[in-house]
Amino acid sequence: MNKVIRDLLSRKTFIFSIVVILFFAAIALLAPVLTSYNNPYQVSQQFVAAPYAVPAWATIFPQYHDLPPDVRLTLTPVSASGVTPVNSSFVKITVPAGGEVNVSYPIRWNWSSPYNVILSFILVPPATSDFNVNLYMNNINIMELSPVPIPPAVSVTLGKPNSITFSSQTINPSNSPYVNSLPFQDQPLASLEFPKAVLPRPGMYYLVISLQNTGNSPETFLLSNPHYTSLGYAYGRLGTDDNGGSVFSEFVYGARFDLYLALVASVLIIGIGLIIGLLAGYVGGFTDLTLNALTDFFLLIPGLPLLIVLISIFDLTGVIVNVNKAVLILLIISFLSWPGTAKIIRGQTLSLRSRTFVEASRALGEGKLRILFRHIVPNLMGILFAQLAYDVPGVILAESGLDFLGLGIIGFPTWGNMLGFATNDLSFANGFAWWWVLPPGIGIILLSTAFYYFGTAMLDVLSPYKLRGE
Amino acid sequence: MIEGKDLRVYFKSRDIVVKALDGVNVSVKDREIVGIVGESGSGKTTLGRTILNLQKPLSGEVLWNGKNVFKLKGKEEKEFRRQNQIIYQNPYEAVDIRLKVYDIVAEGLRVHNIPKDKEEESKIVMETLRDVGLTPEDEYAKSLPNQLSGGQLQRVAIARALVLNPSFIVADEPVSMLDMSIRAGVLDIFKRLRDERGISIMMITHDISTLGYVADRIYVMYQGKVIEHGSTDAVLDKPLHPYTQALISAVPIPDPSGRTSLFSIKVKEEMEPYNGKGCRYYPRCPFAMASCREKEPNLSGVSSDHYVACFLY
Amino acid sequence: MSEVIFEESTDTLLEVNSLKTYYTTKTGYVKAVDDVSLFLDRSKVLGVAGESGCGKSTLVTTIFRVMPRNARVMGGEVKFKGQDLLKMDLKTFRKEIVWKDIAYIPQASMDVLDPVYKVKDQMLETILAHEDVSRAEAMERIFRTLESVGVPQEKADMFPHELSGGQRQRVVIAMALLLNPSMIVSDEATTALDVITQAKILELMKSLQESRKFSMMFVTHDLSLLANVSDSIAIMYAGKLVEFGDVEKVFSNPLHPYTQLLIKAIPDLRVRKQKKLVAIPGFPPDLENPPKGCRFAPRCPLAMPVCSEKEPEFSKVEGFHYVACHAVNKK
Ligand SMILES: Nc1ncnc2c1ncn2[C@@H]1O[C@H](COP(=O)(O)OP(=O)(O)OP(=O)(O)O)[C@@H](O)[C@H]1O
Ligand SMILES: Nc1ncnc2c1ncn2[C@@H]1O[C@H](COP(=O)(O)OP(=O)(O)OP(=O)(O)O)[C@@H](O)[C@H]1O
Ligand code: SF4
Ligand code: SF4
Ligand SMILES: [Mg+2]
Ligand SMILES: [Mg+2]
């Protein structure tokens, strides 16, 4: 046994395959730890950053270097007269009658414009209705709060805490003076333009909350320190897809699925293929005839087309409602993968059975079962692993192909459907979203080659009939 | 002790029937080395396999101490397997080359539950390895077959047969894979087995010269038939059948002064196919007569220990 | 130092001088041919013998330049008609020398024939690749050559698998003869055949050699064959040449202990009653780490302390008879 392991470890291809498989297995196992999004195809898990955000580390490249990350800030005011802190997060502002106090919040912005801008804070206005609150960013009036809701002003409740949220994605002519100030034909694009208007380039910017008292007596306002958030164009380890879903999470959960698929396929190939092949080859006669016919039947089914038809039928007839489609696909594909193995094992068993050393065992008085388990099965191990080497990548590729075409799994990420979605959107302005296309592509290639190398290395080491020389 | 009677084994490959054994009678007595010699394809291996019930014959029986081996069941069959062993022509094919030498040799012991425990097993295996000259035996026990030369592996195959303490061994070309220099050593093992342990051996070979050194009796086979048999001295010193004569004269003699001898063998180029009824050798026989084409000669005794199937006698 | 042997040559055709061919392996070099010198005169037969694995095939494949890919020539030269074959451009060598001047009958040569071509097509190709002759002329020559090796003409139309082993071997010999080479190298040409077929093929080769006057290098592990066909004989042991000389001299007076044992190990029907077969104890050494000094020392019955210290020199005994052994050279 030790020799086998030593022999294996001396092969670069084997080391490569083990490293790759272990790497993906680790990723798959640790998926919940590595990422908090378990299915970025769900709406609730999208928009973790701007769509097509590049990976955070890609900002080392010059063309990406000033892309902003996701930014979350709590803004604190510059001290000014009439502005007194109540506690760490609230300030009290006293505005003299007929006067106006501007509270300025500096924002140090080091990047190009973000995807969006969200501001939220709590405002407790005075109980009288003689006031007006305006928000400015980069000297642009972005929001107006007023007790009298004449658009674009937004109403506030008097004397009570109001939770105010400004989001650049929901602005329209009736809730933002900014939109109103735009020419009519540009108004629909206001959400897109807004970040460029208020945070056009790196620099020092100010959010100014201007409190106006139109009454005759001084009034006090309570204002919480505003939270600033914006989604960036550089995100995480692998950026985002077209919905701002984390590509890394997709990749990790995709690995989980593809490994699972490989595992199930392997088990079926070994289980069904080996047993049927062994039975047919070793028992022979009628058993062989029947099993061989069965194998041929499955072998002759054109796998992928059948799968596509089957799945369309299931889809259309709604059978899938009760059965998980993913499980179904996984089972069908794996199930179509064993006949090749059965055939080859049968052939090998037949040839082994007539080998002299098997006859020699018979001459020693060994029984049929003993010969089977002691001489035939161990001599088949190499071939069996070779079958894994050829068939498991086949299964992975077939399933990925199906997903790629959109006929397979779409509900959760797999490497196949990632590739499919990614290439679907290639024409979009973003062009080649390499951080989205490459990981699943490389993943499929690496895992397939890893299985191939693993199988061939095992074949080499386990198969007893080695050739001399190099 | 073991006797094959009128054995017939035909192989059908597609439409052609190969008569590998066509009415062969052989017997091997106690403490005797019997040589079976003949050209390639003459049915020697098939004979050995049939004698050991590894190949069912079309007809005929093999008697082992009076019992028909094809009818043995259960315990008796197991005992037959233990007492009768075979050493195959090509040792590389005959061992499961995944197994270590130790396991190859121990296999038979385990099948027959001979040793009481591991210790005893190891003792028997090691002793046997030493017996066949594989020393240091614990080194060899650990090796895998592909680390051994043909000669060493052939000894492993011999050890595997010996470990069960058999009374009869079929040795199929046990030395053809080996160099001359190692051959003698292996042949010596067989002689010692006969002399010291009283084992009977059927030694199959196409090289008649080695038989001269070890065999007590020789059977000469030609195309599935025994055409001559008798004591070694009789057959080698006074070969009767034209085929046996050719066989002996074709053995190269290691002496440059007698150069011409090798090239004086009397065999005709096979000019016509066998007609199906005459002597099988007539297409190549330089002495063929008209009668040879009509009828097959039967084995008949020219002396008490020499039989030949040829119309010349 | 071993150049002395070339003095014995009268009409040199082939001269192998201090040839070293090693195989590279993961763990080092297998010194399969280590400093071997020998020669072959015109229209003579040189026999090369030795145990399996002593480097016979390596020697031959080096001369014919068809060594396995991991083989390296580490030194020495192979002079054929005065020209160093190893220094020749491989293409020129293949075109000008191979088959035309030197023909090669490889070990396991029955498998050399391509199973998918008819015998005559393979032979035709060999001729047309080297000579500028018409097809009809070539066919004529093929039939003549097949006949001369005793293969009926109609077999030319058959596929190799339709021939018997002996016939296939004859076809390969016929291929070697096709272009009238001045030297034929035969590596265990008859080992796989039964004695009767072997005898007939040897007889054939010998008579062809005598009538066509080509030289032959005949490699085998069966010394007794060489007694019957060769004029000179070279005994190899573990990659080294240990004895080289006239065939009569070597057989009547073997000097190297290895040769002596080898001859004693040949079963000889004439003397089977007096003679006991002798086995050489032990096994050939590992050619990756050959023993120091004389490579035969671990198995040699005459080994002396000096044997495992110093390599014996290859030196003349008397006439055309050379040997590398301390026990002999001392005298
Ligand atoms: N299992 C088999 N199936 C079909 N034909 C067989 C089988 N075994 C042997 N034969 C044929 O039977 C004949 C005798 O074969 P056998 O192996 O007994 O010859 P042999 O004398 O041992 O020859 P060799 O010296 O080459 O080993 C041959 O023609 C061979 O082709
Ligand atoms: N391709 C190779 N790589 C490594 N070692 C090799 C290779 N071919 C041969 N050898 C080793 O080189 C030595 C000489 O081999 P070679 O084939 O020349 O022997 P040989 O004398 O022709 O033997 P045989 O009589 O068995 O044909 C042997 O020890 C062999 O194991
Ligand atoms: S019977 Fe006739 S053909 Fe057969 S061997 Fe005797 S003489 Fe030759
Ligand atoms: S040199 Fe020494 S060891 Fe070598 S063959 Fe001569 S006597 Fe034997
Ligand atoms: Mg045989
Ligand atoms: Mg060789």
Side-chain angles (χ1 to χ4, degrees), chain B residues 241-242 279 281-282 285 287-289 292 297 309-312:
Chain B
H241 198 283
C279 169
Y281 192 54
Y282 85 75
C285 179
F287 310 113
M289 303 162 288
C292 303
C310 172
F311 290 127
L312 288 175

Side-chain angles (χ1 to χ4, degrees), chain A residues 359 364 366 374-375 378, chain B residues 49 88 96-98 107 112:
Chain A
E359 186 182 294
L364 277 179
E366 291 183 44
R374 202 158 154 74
H375 300 295
Chain B
R49 294 177 57 234
Y88 285 91
D96 190 346
I97 61 178
R98 279 179 320 104
E107 188 75 9
H112 292 279

Side-chain angles (χ1 to χ4, degrees), chain B residues 209 213 251-255, chain C residues 266-273 275 277:
Chain B
S209 56
Y213 288 86
V251 173
I253 289 170
D255 180 357
Chain C
I266 305 173
D268 186 346
L269 280 180
R270 296 168 309 174
V271 291
R272 67 187 166 83
K273 282 178 196 148
K275 201 168 122 180
L277 274 188

Side-chain angles (χ1 to χ4, degrees), chain C residues 29-45:
Chain C
Y29 290 114
V30 174
K31 304 183 180 87
V33 170
D34 205 3
D35 209 355
V36 168
S37 300
L38 42 79
F39 68 86
L40 172 57
D41 281 346
R42 271 175 226 269
S43 26
K44 294 282 181 194
V45 180

Side-chain angles (χ1 to χ4, degrees), chain A residues 301-314:
Chain A
I301 296 177
L304 208 56
L306 172 89
L307 206 66
I308 292 174
V309 171
L310 269 185
I311 285 167
S312 322
I313 292 175
F314 286 148

Side-chain angles (χ1 to χ4, degrees), chain C residues 52-53 55-58 107 187-188 219:
Chain C
S52 175
K56 305 181 296 294
S57 298
T58 311
Q107 195 162 8
D187 190 0
E188 313 260 13
V219 176

